[in-house]
Amino acid sequence: MEMRVAAGRWTPLLLLATLLLASNLVSGSHFRYGTMSWRPIDATDTEVGQTILADPILVRHTVAFEFKAAYRRDYEWGKFFREQYRPPNVAGGTQVWKDGGSCYTEDSCSVLGISNPSNYMLFPFIAQGFYVGWEIKLAVGRSYFELNVTGPNANDELSDTRRPCVSPFDTGDKPLCRGGVPSGTQYPTTQIDPTTNCVGSICAGSLVPYEITYPDFVSALTVPCEQVDDAEPDYCSPWSQTYGFFFGDSDTTGIPLSTDVVLEITEMNYEVTNVGNYLLGTASFYHTYQEAGVPKKKKDDFTPWTAYFTGGNRLTYSTDRLINNHQGRFRLELTVNLNYPGEVIGKQGYVPNNSPVMTALPVLPVPYTGRSEISANGMLATFQVAGFDPDIDIKAYQGSKLESNEKVYYYLGSPRKMGMLLANQVPDMKYPSRWNREDYEAARKECYQRSCAPTGADAAPFVLVGTGTPGKGATRDGSNAIPAGTNLTLGNNFTDLANGFPLFTYEGTCSECANGDRTCTSLRLLVDGFTTETPLNFTCERYKPWDNKLNLAHQPERLYLDRYSGVVQWETGINPRDVDNATYLTDFWNHRDSGDVSNTKYAKRLAAKGTQPSPEQEPLQPGFYNVVFDVRSYSHDPDCHLKVYDAATLGSISPHTGKAFTLPAPGNGGLYTEAQCKAVDDENMIDIAYVSVPLDFLLFLYPPASWCSKSKCRNTQAGITTFRDEGFYGTQNDVNVLSTGSCTICGGGEWNLYDVSAAGLTDKQLNLTDYTVCLQDDDCKYDFDTVAITPAIEADICKRNTPPKWVDQASAGNDDGNTPTPRLADRPTWSTLRVVPSDPTSALASDPFIDGVPIENVYPGLALFLGQRSSEVRFNLTAVDEDDCVEMQILPIGLFRGYTMYNLDTDGVPTASQACSYASSFAGNDGNIGSTCPYNMKLEFIKRIGTTNQFYRTFVWSANNTLPQVQDPRPPNVVVCFIPFDNYQVGIRRCVNIILLSERFLYWIDARAKLTDVFSGTNDAFNTIVEDCNATRIAGSNENRYQNPCHYTPADLTTFYVSPNHTLEFYMTALQDSGNPPIGIYISEGGTMRANGTVGPPEGATFEYLEYDDKSGKTHLRDPAKRRFTWTPKEGQQCKYVLCFIGNNTRELEESIEFTSTFFWTRPFVPIPALLDERCYTIVVADQQLDMQAGSFVDAAAALPSLTSDCGMTFSMWFYPEGTTTMSLATFGYTKPGETDNIVYMLEWDPVTAVVFHDGITVQDLGQYYRLKFSTGQSYIIQTDAEFCVNEWHFLTFTIAPNGNFVLYLDGVETTHYSDDDRDFHVVAVETGSMPVVDGKVEIIGDILNNNPGYTGFLRIGSFDAVQTFNGMIGDVRIYSRVLTAEEIGAKQFVPLTATSEVGLEAYYKFNDGSQADNTLGNPQGNFNKYRAQPPASADPDCNLAGDTFCNNDVRDAPEGPFGSEMKAKGQSVTDLSGNNNHAIGCDDANCRKESTMYFVFGPSPITPPCPQETSPDVVHVDGGTPIAISGIGFARSQWLKCSFSMSDGSIKVIKAVHSDNSTIICANPGSPDLTVSALEVTNGGVNFFTNFQIPIYMMERVVSFPETGGKVTIKDACDMIGTNLFSMGAWVYPLSQSSSALEDVISLIGMTSNDQTGLLSVRYDGVRFVVHEKIGNTETALGESPDAPAHNMGEGSGWHYVMLSGNTDRLVLYMDGESTELTATSISLSTCDLELGTTTTGRKAFFGYVEEMSAFSGFLNACDSYQIMWGN
């Protein structure tokens, strides 16, 4: 390779190490590294407060931020920018914040005085780990001040800087009011956005707008003026001065919300080198996103929230060697999009999005690497960024591989995301900073004027006379000419006064300076009482005209990034001095640029392998470089593709990148496609499509170090000093670093002098490789007199440093003491040219290189380490360095999930910094739900393998091996990452995915003692869930004992009762002992079958995944997992439901679950122990009635005022009388002040004894019958005949018309009265009369109350007084303010009302108001009741109340079932369902008429839809008459209780039912003219059958039943009719057995052969199919079998199958349900035989089932014949 010196590019640096000019200089000296991330909160985030945790809305808008940063350690902390510090808090108190005057204008901030140097904190070394836990406060403010409102000044003007400026180029300064105009006069805006590259007057379109949120806003094009031009911000705080963390949203007044960041120190580096001397810390804090006080998930439909942190300037150029972005503002910016894809993608439930998480070394050393060299990761200088997205991609989830996490994509940050602004001091380090282009150009002008003046002298600029010909002046208009007759002053310019911009600026080479001095101003410093003046450098080359690429934030030159892998390639050059003109060793790709080159969409080949670039590549400067990455992952935001994007309104340029957005696909109506929104690898996709986080750190570029050969030189003389060492390498030895012995440094590692054009400098002086350094030992084993020193020999003497490498396991996964190694299959695949083949057998896979670069170097993948729960994890990290001398470190560089791992470098007692997790970690996302792990990860001291250059450190993750595996609190899926480092070069990162395996049992989380015994009592998921939640219950008390604060899974076989329109809610919560998420929870049985074949919740119910604490509705991709079942059943859904639930430890899409392979069950239900994974519950949806005894009543007086003579009234109610005395049913009246009750109307139930007389002598007492009486306060009486009975439901109605007409109905109207000869005859009473009228109108109760305001009305439903009491139940009560016709009454009698469809309905009471809450049992009022399961005690011997949810104490958790006194009605409100809020109230003990009881009870009335569920028998004879017992729920003791049977001709037969109890009735089979399957329905109301609850009844002829114990029917001498040579025999067969242990004989021919042997030809059943056997003597042969014919009780079909066997001398065919199967022809020939159905023969299995329609033929029948006979033709 030809080498030559590059042209002079850099001036010598003046190392002003003690230079402290002003705050802007010091601020630029301490930031090194930073990154941020966020996640949705969960139950572990107790710091956020219960106000938020208790509100699901606030939870779903709150995030936890994680902030990591590194700063210079010995910076003067506490001096500037309101920064403060304090040591860790001590027990019993909080440490005070300290500072040295950083906010001296605020008493509340400064506690130590104004600018007190003795109180600055430099964090000097005291002891390793001493400062861990100290805190630094990075405040919000501007300069030394808060962001606030100041003033007013003498001109009554305010300064309001509470809002950071929106544009980085906005100074926030108002223009000066001119011409005496008042303050606030609007002037045109003049500040310019230089990124638009405007020139002259065309800059109008590039003016920085005045934002609408700023004070005194009028328009974006004008700004209010001020009376004094103070050059200070007035309406916003500029980017160049603002610091702090801003969330991106604002409060109710529009002020942006922000927070101080409290950085907790986690690591302190005391190494005073270019790559050390830093402190590293983390901060965690929360924020609830809002707009004007209202929670909001994002800024608008297409804009996420943008949160950012800014805290000062970057390093300087002159003193710190930061080449790019020196003294630039740093800005860590991320986007927050709080969307929950589960709200749209319903299958997965709530899946909140998390941001990616990043990590890096604060300073990464990078050696120069030329084009012909291979570095650690590949060609050129390469390194890899570490990123991770905690979100799980369901479809990609495979076991526990981390590859299932959603992909992250890497981009180089835009100038905005890098901070945008640079100080641009002219010259460097001269205050003030020139943030804007105009200031910078003005400073250049000043320096040009002074550039040739003697030090301290006034400016004496040169003057050039204009000639009109091209000259040295470069004009802005590009003419490069100075107008004739015009003199141009060097450094001065002419001004276009109209536009206010320079027209000409001189851009010469400065060669006009006679003495060559190029000095512009100087620094005056007070040192030891003397003023010294130091000149500062200025060159035309150094301070060129403003260029956005140089004067705004920018990435290092020639740095390229692969957006898929995070691998960075950097073309640095070969060293700081020489150009690189070598050919490329490999293809050189730029993965950042787009372009369809070489069949790859996302990569552009910059140079082909073997090509030589032109021109030659100049080297980059050595020193620090700032690099910022913009790392993205998919946002899952549905708005991206569901809402129209209006570019005209929303903009087409990204404010974050300054590039044009990718627009919606043409022809899609302005909508992005879902594919576009998922294309995170499209850099220009709109911001809402992705979530973005920053990673900001430093690269240190240095010449590669070299050392003298150990085999040739003694290495006793000190060589070159580098940034790490003073002449020797390989000498450092401590617990963290091991060395192999001393080598003299003979080059590289530093670049001391920067003017490469200086004459006479040696390689040693320039710190380039110099083999002569090695010759100082005079022992390099060369005879220099005879051996020519060639370049090869030079390289052999002075050897270049190479990066260390991992020593991999010989076989991936086989622990042989070396480093865990990725398998090829574990490496991710990417859609770029560098693709890792997924097919390991492909030709590409056999080639370890792609374009000369090892595959594993570019895409190293994850090594997989499978550990065991409750067992220690231990493996070696072994590295080798092939150099002669080595200083080896093996460093942890962080974990992707949930842990800090900065100082895992000792095998002693772990320090606080070595805890394996921290309180605000991300551990909740990997199954540890945020708990602190009690077992530490650590790296043992580094060790050397013998005398080799191999070293290893042992990684250890301790465990308590005495614990059961389910108690292991360690997260089961973590990733740890490491690098080998030789103090100069970094090897390839190696990440190890540790998965802890176990038996993988899945547990329902309940409070059983059994589970408590097997889980750890400290610091584990179960303990957090159970014990912490139980603490909220009242210890030792029955109060609230039904509450479920922890959302436990109910005990198996628990029963729930809920009434229509009330809500049932319970939680299914599961924990997997291995902790390997995700866990799926599903309905396995009893729900609604969906179109995709899965079982879903009943109609109207929901079953949704939740964040464990039910706050954010977040992810079910966790362990534990929780799903909430919620159901509000409607009218018509009254029935009993059995739902079963299962858990599954690998979630898939639900339609792909094989339920039968994931749970165990038997029928009938058997109690399931806690360790199995199916839970079954009974849900009973039932009406309630009001049960009252003695003197109780409900007062419905609220409805009375609406009952007037204007339209009349109607009163109806269902009642169930139980007493035998006269009872009041309803009493209407009022009370005058000071008087007793006045009755207006009274309804009574009156007994009458029926007798038969003969000649005046009683012959027979027929018992009591009852009548309904209506009376008024004036004793007007109308009554029915005494024809009615007690202990059954009755329906009463009375109407009063305005004209006084009165009608009393009992049990309906005439239309419901069956004829006397009808089988279903029942009594109906309709009585009419008239009421007194006055002036043509009757006075109704409402008239009385409305005309007498002092009267208090009452409507007592039930008892009136201590005498007129009611015993029984009350059902529906309806009150109308109009007269219902007889037709309406008949139509509504048996129908629940829909209030919105009713006219004049004033009150409607259904009495569904009871719940166990009324007994302080914890369920919400009016919701649902829970009854404990009743398995035998042996099901859970640890529980003394078997089946209870809370069974770890002696408090009974739930009653065994509904009981009469569980739901009190006394004093309880009864809801009016009419919508008029005329609620009734139950009397209490103080005003009930005597000692009495009143309860809500579950039970049906005639309007309740019954739910038949089972019948016995379900097969009856077609002749009819068989009693059928029907079981179910909701059967009312009603005289209208009936069954209906559908007939085959479409007709319906209705049969009166006999009521046994509320769950059993009996109806007689009505018979059928032919065989049929009849739909049985039941009604409580006689006419309204509920078709959604039907049961099939099989009306059949009689069959032969064969018991399991054996039975036989014999047809003697069958061979006289048929023979085995020509026969057919068939029957309908109904097998019941599922056993395949032996063959059951169904149809057999059995007899003797012609040679007197026993013979048998038999059709048998094996539990699944029919088989045919023949037997001659003792020899039995199988001839064939039918297709599957499952038995009835396997749940497949009806169980009936038609079977026929037909044969002749050549063929034997078995027909089953019309389908034929050819068998082996029988060889048997029977001379005599019987035909047998079934068997009782010993040794043969009896058939179990039914047989009918047996037929036999003496001929061979074909398939068609068999089919005809099968159906009776």
Side-chain angles (χ1 to χ4, degrees), residues 38 304 334-339 353-356 389 391 409 630-636 680 687-693:
W38 60 267
L334 53 69
T335 59
V336 180
N337 189 352
L338 291 172
N339 83 87
N353 202 25
N354 296 260
S355 79
D389 190 334
D391 299 321
Y409 299 86
D630 174 8
V631 184
R632 305 177 184 179
S633 66
Y634 178 37
S635 73
H636 295 274
V680 184
D687 301 332
I688 203 66
Y690 58 85
V691 174
S692 167
V693 298

Side-chain angles (χ1 to χ4, degrees), residues 1660-1672:
R1660 297 175 173 178
Y1661 187 68
D1662 70 355
V1664 177
R1665 60 193 63 83
F1666 295 94
V1667 297
V1668 178
H1669 280 227
E1670 72 173 13
K1671 184 176 181 182
I1672 301 174

